[in-house]
Amino acid sequence: MLDKWALKCLSKPSQWSARQLAKTPLSANQVTLFGFGCGLGAAILVAFNQYQGALALLLINRLCDGLDGALARVKGSTSAGAYLDICCDFIFYSAMVVGFAFSAPEQNALISCVLILSFMTTGSTFLAFAILAEKHQLTKLHYPNKGFYYLGGITEGTETIAFLVLCCLFPDAFYLLAAIFASLCFITGLIRLYSGYLTLKPLANIGD
């Protein structure tokens, strides 16, 4: 819901940073993988109740996630890079939830299962539509810098990061925060399922 606004606000700083990084030998994929490593480190720290360190690595992960795409647009974007980026993001999100489940299993394990199910709901409707939108050559109207057709919703990347930051700042409230966010994810999944179906329904089969 907030991704379009957040991307607009961060566009100029990320472009400037990408131009500076472009002067180095670093590739966009290397930035992606470094950020992914930081994200997994954040999940591990959460599991050991080291929330301040986890928050620091989480923010580095998100910084890298913003820079890798901008750097790719400077040096030349690839489908492989877009694929790597989205895979790392989805694994990172789920790893953070698993970290919270390990941090307090008696309190967090059950709601973590529900939360990951809600992530699967948003993720599957998101990616399935992206595949078919590419097949039918649908235009990326709202997110032109994305590597694929971006189907929005209530809980997008910006909201997910805000949720994870709040969980690191207030770990004792994880159950309540996760319950609220999972509910919003399920609503987002239903919205994407319905709107995606209506968008694709009138289109003729291509290549079937």
Side-chain angles (χ1 to χ4, degrees):
M1 186 168 62
L2 298 177
D3 274 9
K4 186 178 180 181
W5 173 83
L7 290 170
K8 184 177 180 180
C9 291
L10 296 174
S11 176
K12 289 185 178 179
S14 63
Q15 288 175 12
W16 181 88
S17 300
R19 287 194 295 269
Q20 307 314 306
L21 277 179
K23 300 173 184 178
T24 73
L26 282 175
S27 69
N29 288 346
Q30 288 172 330
V31 175
T32 297
L33 292 174
F34 175 76
F36 180 59
C38 290
L40 293 183
I44 292 172
L45 288 180
V46 165
F48 287 96
N49 301 296
Q50 302 297 315
Y51 300 109
Q52 291 183 346
L55 179 57
L57 289 180
L58 164 64
L59 295 177
I60 295 173
N61 169 274
R62 291 299 88 195
L63 176 62
C64 291
D65 187 62
L67 287 176
D68 59 2
L71 182 58
R73 288 188 287 276
V74 173
K75 289 193 170 184
S77 59
T78 65
S79 295
Y83 171 77
L84 181 66
D85 182 47
I86 191 64
C87 287
C88 287
D89 278 350
F90 274 83
I91 296 170
F92 159 67
Y93 293 148
S94 296
M96 287 294 291
V97 176
V98 172
F100 279 102
F102 274 95
S103 69
E106 297 84 2
Q107 177 181 343
N108 294 345
L110 183 59
I111 194 62
S112 294
C113 292
V114 175
L115 183 57
I116 288 182
L117 174 60
S118 75
F119 281 5
M120 285 296 298
T121 303
T122 57
S124 61
T125 51
F126 176 91
L127 294 175
F129 182 83
I131 292 169
L132 292 170
E134 178 70 19
K135 175 181 176 181
H136 290 282
Q137 300 179 339
L138 298 181
T139 305
K140 297 172 285 188
L141 296 175
H142 302 298
Y143 301 92
N145 291 326
K146 292 293 181 180
F148 44 84
Y149 194 110
Y150 196 95
L151 190 63
I154 299 173
T155 55
E156 299 175 342
T158 303
E159 290 81 9
T160 304
I161 297 309
F163 160 70
L164 293 175
V165 167
L166 285 175
C167 289
C168 288
L169 291 174
F170 307 102
D172 291 339
F174 176 78
Y175 190 99
L176 176 61
L177 292 170
I180 294 171
F181 195 72
S183 300
L184 295 176
C185 284
F186 283 126
I187 294 171
T188 294
L190 290 174
I191 292 172
R192 287 177 174 170
L193 182 64
Y194 180 70
S195 61
Y197 177 79
L198 290 183
T199 301
L200 295 169
K201 184 178 180 180
L203 301 178
N205 292 329
I206 299 175
D208 292 339

